[in-house]
Amino acid sequence: MRRISPVLQQDGVDPDLISLLKTILAACREIAFRVSQGELAGVLGSTLSENVQGETQKKLDVIANELLKEVILETGVVKAISSEEEDDIVPGNPHGRYLVTFDPLDGSSNTDINSLIGTIFSILPADPHKDASDASQFLQPGSAQVAAGYVLYGPSTMLALTTGKGTRLYTLDKTYGGFLLTAEQATIPKYTAEFAINMSNQRFWEAPMKNYIADLLKGKEGIRGKNYNMRWIAAMVGDVHRVLCRGGIFAYPRDLKDPSKPDKLRLMYEANPMSFLVEQAGGASSTGYQRIMEIIPTDIHQRVAVILGSKHEVETCVNYHRNSTAPVISD
Ligand code: AFP
């Protein structure tokens, strides 16, 4: 089985980017170890602080954030980082060629129940004309990403990675200490009969999503003509991993439960990197109204509605958004 460096070299990836990715993965291996120690390492439970998103920080959120921040800034190739757990961007080397955004621990509420969590990261090119402390340098569309990935801390620790030449899956070999290539090309099937959505928000969704899910629930007897199954891990990283492995549609749509916060997932830390991985695996990703990777961000902590996964299913859901009264099913 092949290690990461030769695979990336074969793809013609910039050596500085390869060494940056390896540094991020070294931090993730450390996070994987702390996660596996659980209560023994005293890392479970919450801190007394909140992050900029107004969410209570878990101890592991803080540990993972500090680990990643420190090693990424030490590489010397990074001009600045932006983390879900930091209020502001953190400047690095003024001459660095890359910007890194990350969610250090996605699904952190799962830590207390020993369930799936992960680290999501995205790498953007740095603009040589902007100052390292200028947050506007991060406001690039997802289509500008040069690499994106996640490390899933599950029964085995897995990496999904893209540099724009397909999405590959790697598994951490704890005996050797590195990630080994275990799926040359993740391929999301075009068709699916599985959806992932938090159904408890149903009454707060917009009409197109209500209509789309209502039609899925009608099963064989309804307009979709087949029975659908449902899954919900409450960690996007786990739900997207399932989609990469066997297809499906994952959605966190806009809802009016808290009108001051209609969208939940973060564009730069979650939606963009996951959209890049999903599109590179043959899937699709949209807000319902726009391809996610085409959104020009206006704020580093911006949130968006997310619908991603099997192409036909995402396109069908988008069609409901185009015409909320007459559902259109693409073939
Ligand atoms: P945390 O990282 O704050 O735990 O949030 C995880 C998440 O943003 C995303 O990974 C899940 O899909 C979603 O929240 C789960 O949300 P619900 O609480 O609605 O299940």
Side-chain angles (χ1 to χ4, degrees):
M1 266 177 244
R2 293 196 295 158
R3 293 181 292 128
I4 291 188
S5 297
V7 177
L8 294 175
Q9 281 157 3
Q10 176 202 304
D11 284 347
V13 176
D14 168 32
D16 279 354
L17 181 54
I18 297 180
S19 86
L20 171 56
L21 287 166
K22 287 175 74 180
T23 301
I24 293 172
L25 296 176
C28 291
R29 285 203 303 270
E30 175 68 24
I31 298 168
F33 175 70
R34 308 271 185 115
V35 167
S36 71
Q37 291 288 92
E39 201 67 85
L40 298 176
V43 295
L44 302 187
S46 301
T47 63
L48 295 175
S49 48
E50 279 189 350
N51 64 13
V52 65
Q53 327 274 342
E55 300 153 342
T56 307
Q57 285 180 306
K58 296 284 183 187
K59 287 184 198 159
L60 266 172
D61 279 327
V62 176
I63 292 169
N65 187 53
E66 290 304 319
L67 269 168
L68 283 160
K69 185 167 69 172
E70 197 177 309
V71 299
I72 291 171
L73 290 175
E74 270 172 12
T75 60
V77 300
V78 172
K79 190 164 182 174
I81 59 162
S82 178
S83 162
E84 188 194 311
E85 300 298 334
E86 301 275 341
D87 293 10
D88 302 308
I89 70 159
V90 184
N93 178 356
H95 306 293
R97 290 166 52 221
Y98 295 107
L99 304 173
V100 183
T101 75
F102 54 89
D103 178 353
L105 211 63
D106 177 59
S108 54
S109 63
N110 277 353
T111 53
D112 297 339
I113 58 163
N114 198 21
S115 191
L116 290 182
I117 47 179
T119 296
I120 309 171
F121 57 88
S122 157
I123 302 177
L124 290 159
D127 180 344
H129 305 295
K130 290 203 171 169
D131 197 86
S133 58
D134 182 350
S136 76
Q137 66 190 318
F138 282 90
L139 305 181
Q140 306 180 38
S143 55
Q145 293 172 102
V146 293
Y150 63 74
V151 174
L152 177 72
Y153 310 114
S156 56
T157 297
M158 290 195 71
L159 161 72
L161 181 65
T162 184
T163 54
K165 295 198 167 149
T167 293
R168 295 195 169 96
L169 301 179
Y170 300 79
T171 304
L172 180 62
D173 180 343
K174 288 182 181 159
T175 55
Y176 138 74
F179 287 91
L180 296 176
L181 183 66
T182 43
E184 177 74 36
Q185 171 63 57
T187 308
I188 300 174
K190 188 173 177 192
Y191 298 91
T192 185
E194 194 161 70
F195 68 95
I197 197 164
N198 185 342
M199 284 296 294
S200 69
N201 294 327
Q202 187 177 25
R203 66 191 187 283
F204 302 110
W205 297 334
E206 293 178 323
M209 190 51 80
K210 278 185 180 161
N211 294 339
Y212 167 70
I213 293 290
D215 282 345
L216 298 192
L217 294 178
K218 285 178 194 147
K220 239 183 165 138
E221 292 72 37
I223 187 170
R224 301 305 307 278
K226 58 182 171 181
N227 293 327
Y228 280 77
N229 191 19
M230 198 197 92
R231 288 285 183 272
W232 187 248
I233 292 176
M236 186 190 196
V237 69
D239 282 308
V240 170
H241 188 67
R242 186 188 57 257
V243 167
L244 281 182
C245 291
R246 68 174 189 217
I249 184 168
F250 164 87
Y252 214 112
R254 172 162 289 203
D255 70 59
L256 294 176
K257 189 158 74 176
D258 174 357
S260 71
K261 219 191 273 179
D263 300 317
K264 166 131 185 166
L265 301 179
R266 294 69 163 185
L267 176 61
M268 313 222 51
Y269 315 117
E270 295 167 323
N272 271 340
M274 292 311 205
S275 298
F276 194 15
L277 288 164
V278 163
E279 286 195 8
Q280 286 293 316
S285 175
S286 170
T287 61
Y289 303 99
Q290 184 182 12
R291 180 176 166 237
I292 286 182
M293 291 219 290
E294 284 172 3
I295 297 171
I296 310 287
T298 52
D299 184 274
I300 54 169
H301 296 301
Q302 184 172 344
R303 295 170 187 262
V304 281
V306 174
I307 300 162
L308 59 76
S310 291
K311 207 168 196 165
H312 171 263
E313 204 55 49
V314 172
E315 284 167 359
T316 302
C317 184
V318 168
N319 282 340
Y320 279 69
H321 287 75
R322 284 209 187 100
N323 181 353
S324 62
T325 49
V328 187
I329 299 165
S330 54
D331 40 66

